[in-house]
Amino acid sequence: MIRLYDYPDCPFCQKVRVVLAEKDLEFEKVLVDLHKGEQKSPEFLKLNPYGKVPVLVDDDVVVYDSTIINEYLDEEYPNPSLMPEDSAGRGRVRQLEDFCDNSFIPPAGLVLAELHKPETDRDADRVRRCQAEISRVLARLETQLEGKEFLVGEFSLADVAFVPRVLILPQLGIEVDARLQNLGAWIGRLRERASVRTLGF
Ligand SMILES: N[C@@H](CCC(=O)N[C@@H](CS)C(=O)NCC(=O)O)C(=O)O
């Protein structure tokens, strides 16, 4: 029995839901209301001392942090595999997940936070700076995708990491430059994937 402590809009929870769908695993979703501070309740802190979602409970195994959860799921439920067979390939996947966490998700989150504010309260400079950072990430992905359908060849945990924010680029005020053809085609492929469609974007 798998239980996912989840928050609907959280990109890290969305990453885990994509992997659960790829592997066709049934799971129970437990809503942790971040606005009510439920992630800092004593019961939740017993599951994740950092007080953050997602947390996955698989029978008596508790795993937190989306990247670690996704690797756990891939090892425990290897069909289909979402990691390359060779160490070099697995290293590339982990580097891209790290790049996503450090260079893509933070500016995307800041843009979203600004755009949720009334227009008069927005920091337009901050929005522009973050959008420029996101565009630099997209240019790097364009190069990474050269000659490949997915970031590391086959669909992998690296692609999963980018899905939640790549699919809402228009909401972040970012139009994909038509010259970035590898990127455009990749986003199209991600959008069509059954597991990604379960996110309802
Ligand atoms: N590195 C963690 C990040 C998780 C994270 O930042 N979750 C946010 C929601 S998107 C959270 O729970 N924030 C609540 C808080 O920090 O109080 C992961 O990949 O799972």
Side-chain angles (χ1 to χ4, degrees):
M1 171 67 197
I2 297 179
R3 199 176 312 130
L4 177 68
Y5 290 81
D6 184 71
Y7 187 74
D9 292 339
C10 168
F12 305 105
C13 295
Q14 291 167 351
K15 267 169 73 178
V16 174
R17 277 186 256 132
V18 169
V19 169
L20 288 164
E22 280 288 328
K23 292 171 182 292
D24 203 16
L25 291 169
E26 280 186 25
F27 65 102
E28 180 199 341
K29 234 187 264 175
V30 181
L31 172 73
V32 179
D33 193 334
L34 302 183
H35 293 293
K36 290 190 185 151
E38 288 176 358
Q39 73 281 19
K40 306 295 183 210
S41 70
E43 304 81 64
F44 190 78
L45 289 172
K46 277 187 207 149
L47 296 174
N48 180 357
Y50 294 114
K52 290 180 190 293
V53 287
V55 174
L56 184 109
V57 180
D58 186 10
D59 290 329
D60 54 353
V61 178
V62 180
V63 194
Y64 52 80
D65 192 284
S66 58
T67 303
I68 299 172
I69 295 172
N70 282 352
E71 280 217 30
Y72 166 84
L73 287 171
D74 201 51
E75 287 174 13
E76 196 64 19
Y77 303 97
N79 288 319
S81 169
L82 298 174
M83 274 299 233
E85 278 179 19
D86 59 311
S87 320
R90 289 199 296 277
R92 280 199 300 280
V93 167
R94 292 177 183 125
Q95 273 166 358
L96 283 159
E97 290 178 295
D98 187 64
F99 175 55
C100 182
D101 280 355
N102 292 311
S103 304
F104 187 49
I105 295 201
L110 289 173
V111 172
L112 276 182
E114 288 297 329
L115 297 183
H116 278 126
K117 292 180 187 168
E119 211 168 333
T120 45
D121 295 348
R122 274 181 212 157
D123 182 338
D125 257 5
R126 186 184 222 193
V127 172
R128 269 193 296 275
R129 268 199 318 275
C130 290
Q131 286 173 332
E133 271 182 56
I134 295 169
S135 296
R136 280 194 290 276
V137 170
L138 298 181
R140 188 163 149 192
L141 294 181
E142 170 72 10
T143 310
Q144 176 68 33
L145 285 160
E146 199 64 61
K148 296 197 237 30
E149 293 219 326
F150 293 103
L151 289 169
V152 187
E154 300 287 308
F155 182 80
S156 75
L157 295 183
D159 303 286
V160 173
F162 283 92
V163 159
R165 291 302 180 233
V166 151
L167 293 196
I168 60 155
L169 287 174
Q171 283 160 253
L172 301 176
I174 302 219
E175 223 178 282
V176 174
D177 186 330
R179 284 169 299 181
L180 303 183
Q181 290 184 3
N182 302 327
L183 184 78
W186 173 65
I187 294 174
R189 270 178 225 117
L190 295 179
R191 240 180 236 298
E192 280 166 20
R193 228 169 152 91
S195 62
V196 172
R197 291 171 88 98
T198 63
L199 297 180
F201 286 128

